[in-house]
């Protein structure tokens, strides 16, 4: 069999298997909720400082470059998402601007996700502020219908975590995402798309509002005269397969209310981990910058280990007062997940790009080429005893922080 014929045969088999998988899953009726935290970063800041509630609050990116989260009051004031800080401050001086604290937001996110996991056995964390929750069968347990379940869950999160959320409920992830978007405009913060409402909802849904359809695909579909989600689902599987591919077939069935993608508890490890934050002051103090970099390394390593992964490449960034960025990176012979090992390499990289005559506003670490711990190729020159000691020490760090809070351990810090 020639290579081309072999590839064609493999493609046919993959398409057949995928279609069979879609048809198999479509027979299962599910009720899925998408829980989306409202203006999450702002909500976290209002949770930390309750005097901020009801005020025009904006959270800025780590380097205070632009607005990345706004309260309802800030939106009404006219502050735009992604607006540069210097412009927003000039146009809306009465708004309150806060530098993002992603470490704190991660703690709050964990709290919210824990509430969801206590509520349902199947929770798929989609992002720091979103999660899919399988509500199937919970009506009997909680003695509530699905609308009442969503309202109850929303009130519980607000009461226990002090974070407002919007909840969309439907029979598939794609439809629950659409319902979640509509729930933000609902007075109850909850929106359901049942079987009888699907076509009516799709008729008034623009294709660019469908989850998974980006700008390029939107433009492509519009060239076919497809403007709404309802017009989209009228196309056949064969048309989707030839025009968009298997992803298009899955999208069509999800929009029709036929579940393709189940809610799964499995969390995929990140492809890379980065941690940066503005200093709050402009500085050329190397020890100060080194301390901040070590803080980022510790946070990143903790996340790396939480997924049982290691990294094989380390990058270090410095951003100057006038927003120039200096970056360097090193690939490792053996993957690592321990702060002290990464810090030794990162500080040397920092020295390469640091200039004492320049004022800096932020630094950051980037951990890349992430893979599962234990899957790496063993080295003949590896000190097994030393590696075991480092692993035990890292576990000790994590246990202490789980019990007493983050940053209870400070690694490699100077007193200067």
């Amino acid at each position: 069999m020639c290579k081309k014929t072999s590839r064609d045969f493999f493609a046919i088999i993959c398409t057949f298997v995928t279609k069979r998988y879609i048809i198999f899953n479509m027979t299962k009726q599910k009720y899925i909720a998408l829980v989306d935290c409202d203006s999450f970063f702002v909500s976290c800041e209002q949770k930390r400082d309750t005097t901020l509630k009801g005020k025009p609050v904006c959270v800025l990116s780590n380097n205070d470059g632009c607005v990345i989260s706004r309260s309802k009051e800030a939106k009404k004031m006219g502050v735009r998402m992604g607006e540069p800080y210097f412009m927003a401050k000039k146009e809306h001086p009465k708004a309150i601007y806060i530098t993002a604290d992603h470490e704190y937001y991660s703690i709050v996110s964990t709290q919210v996700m824990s509430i969801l996991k206590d509520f349902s056995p199947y929770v798929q964390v989609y992002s720091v502020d979103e999660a899919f929750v399988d509500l199937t069968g919970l009506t009997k347990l909680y003695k509530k219908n699905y609308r009442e379940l969503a309202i109850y869950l929303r009130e519980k999160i607000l009461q226990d975590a002090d974070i407002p959320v919007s909840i969309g409920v439907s029979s598939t992830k794609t439809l629950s995402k659409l319902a979640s978007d509509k729930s933000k405009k609902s007075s109850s913060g909850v929106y359901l798309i049942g079987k009888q409402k699907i076509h009516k909802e799709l008729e008034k849904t623009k294709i660019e509002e469908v989850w998974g359809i980006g700008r390029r695909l939107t433009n492509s579909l519009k060239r076919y005269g497809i403007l709404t989600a309802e017009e989209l689902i009228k196309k056949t599987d064969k048309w989707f397969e030839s025009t968009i591919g298997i992803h298009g077939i899955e999208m069509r069935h999800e929009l029709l209310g036929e579940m393709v993608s189940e809610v799964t508890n499995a969390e995929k490890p990140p492809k890379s981990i980065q941690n940066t934050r503005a200093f709050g002051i402009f500085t050329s103090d190397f020890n100060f910058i080194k301390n901040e970099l070590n803080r980022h390394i510790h946070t990143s390593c903790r996340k790396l280990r939480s997924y049982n992964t290691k990294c094989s490449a380390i990058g270090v960034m410095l951003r100057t007062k006038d927003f120039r960025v200096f970056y360097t990176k090193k690939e490792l012979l053996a993957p690592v997940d321990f702060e002290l090992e990464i810090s030794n390499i990162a500080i040397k990289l920092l020295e390469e790009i640091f200039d004492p005559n320049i004022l800096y506003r932020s630094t950051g670490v980037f951990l890349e080429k992430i893979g599962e711990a234990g899957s790496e190729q063993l080295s003949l020159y590896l000190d097994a005893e030393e590696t075991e000691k480092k692993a035990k020490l890292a576990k000790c760090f994590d246990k202490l922080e789980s019990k007493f809070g983050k940053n209870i351990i400070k690694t490699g810090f100077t007193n200067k």
Side-chain angles (χ1 to χ4, degrees), residues 67-94:
V67 176
I68 58 174
S69 185
R70 305 160 295 161
S71 66
K72 290 179 181 178
E73 294 76 16
K75 292 175 185 177
K76 289 179 181 178
M77 185 179 281
V79 181
R80 300 185 303 277
M81 189 67 167
E83 184 174 7
Y85 172 47
F86 73 92
M87 289 178 59
K89 191 175 182 181
K90 185 178 179 180
E91 294 173 7
H92 310 285
K94 292 185 179 180

Side-chain angles (χ1 to χ4, degrees), residues 19-285:
K19 283 183 177 178
R20 288 293 299 270
Y21 172 76
I22 292 171
I23 293 169
F24 174 75
N25 264 358
M26 283 177 352
T27 61
K28 301 177 182 180
Q29 178 63 42
K30 295 282 187 177
Y31 295 90
I32 298 169
L34 177 61
V35 179
D36 186 1
C37 300
D38 299 336
S39 303
F40 182 56
F41 296 166
V42 166
S43 295
C44 288
E45 295 296 343
Q46 291 172 331
K47 169 186 170 72
R48 179 155 53 180
D49 181 359
T50 55
T51 63
L52 295 175
K53 292 185 178 182
K55 295 181 180 179
V57 180
C58 300
V59 172
L60 305 170
S61 55
N62 280 337
N63 58 6
D64 288 352
C66 61
V67 176
I68 58 174
S69 185
R70 305 160 295 161
S71 66
K72 290 179 181 178
E73 294 76 16
K75 292 175 185 177
K76 289 179 181 178
M77 185 179 281
V79 181
R80 300 185 303 277
M81 189 67 167
E83 184 174 7
Y85 172 47
F86 73 92
M87 289 178 59
K89 191 175 182 181
K90 185 178 179 180
E91 294 173 7
H92 310 285
K94 292 185 179 180
I96 301 167
Y97 300 94
I98 302 171
T99 301
D101 182 354
H102 291 287
E103 190 174 319
Y104 175 66
Y105 304 156
S106 178
I107 294 171
V108 177
S109 174
T110 300
Q111 185 181 2
V112 173
M113 300 308 166
S114 294
I115 294 170
L116 297 180
K117 290 172 183 177
D118 286 341
F119 185 79
S120 168
Y122 298 102
V123 175
Q124 184 173 346
V125 178
Y126 182 63
S127 68
V128 71
D129 62 344
E130 287 181 293
F132 289 102
V133 182
D134 193 336
L135 302 179
T136 311
L138 296 183
T139 52
K140 293 181 180 179
L141 177 64
Y142 291 96
K143 295 181 172 57
K144 300 177 188 295
N145 61 36
Y146 288 108
R147 176 180 291 279
E148 291 169 341
L149 269 179
I151 292 172
Y152 171 74
L153 179 57
R154 184 173 184 268
E155 291 172 349
K156 183 171 179 60
I157 295 170
L158 186 61
Q159 180 180 338
D160 294 356
D162 196 19
I163 295 293
V165 301
S166 298
I167 301 179
V169 180
S170 195
S171 52
T172 69
K173 285 181 180 178
T174 303
L175 287 175
S176 66
K177 181 73 170 74
L178 180 61
S180 176
D181 293 340
K182 294 178 182 293
S183 69
K184 295 183 183 300
K185 299 176 183 178
S186 170
S187 57
S188 66
V190 167
Y191 198 90
L192 273 71
I193 299 180
K195 275 190 174 182
Q196 305 304 318
K197 289 175 63 178
I198 290 177
H199 288 281
K200 189 176 289 186
E201 292 290 349
L202 296 184
E203 283 175 0
K204 54 186 180 182
T205 300
K206 297 177 182 178
I207 54 169
E208 57 263 35
E209 296 173 344
V210 176
W211 185 40
I213 296 184
R215 186 180 299 175
R216 185 179 297 178
L217 184 53
T218 294
N219 293 334
S220 177
L221 292 172
K222 284 183 177 180
R223 285 196 288 271
Y224 287 98
I226 300 171
L227 302 178
T228 67
E230 179 66 16
E231 291 171 343
L232 185 65
I233 62 169
K234 287 180 180 178
K235 297 294 183 181
T236 64
D237 281 359
K238 188 175 182 180
W239 182 90
F240 272 98
E241 186 177 348
S242 61
T243 308
I244 304 175
I246 292 298
H247 169 68
I249 299 175
E250 293 176 347
M251 184 194 304
R252 176 176 182 265
H253 286 285
E254 286 263 323
L255 285 171
L256 286 167
E258 300 161 351
M259 189 198 67
V260 175
S261 176
E262 291 184 299
V263 176
T264 172
N265 291 329
E267 290 187 43
K268 292 182 179 179
K271 293 181 180 179
S272 65
I273 295 172
Q274 54 181 309
N275 216 296
T276 66
R277 191 180 180 188
F279 300 141
I281 59 171
F282 301 132
T283 182
S284 58
D285 184 334

Side-chain angles (χ1 to χ4, degrees), residues 296-309:
H296 298 325
I297 290 169
H298 178 55
T299 301
S300 299
C301 284
R302 197 171 191 273
K303 185 174 182 180
L304 198 65
R305 291 192 295 269
S306 71
Y307 286 100
N308 191 34
T309 53

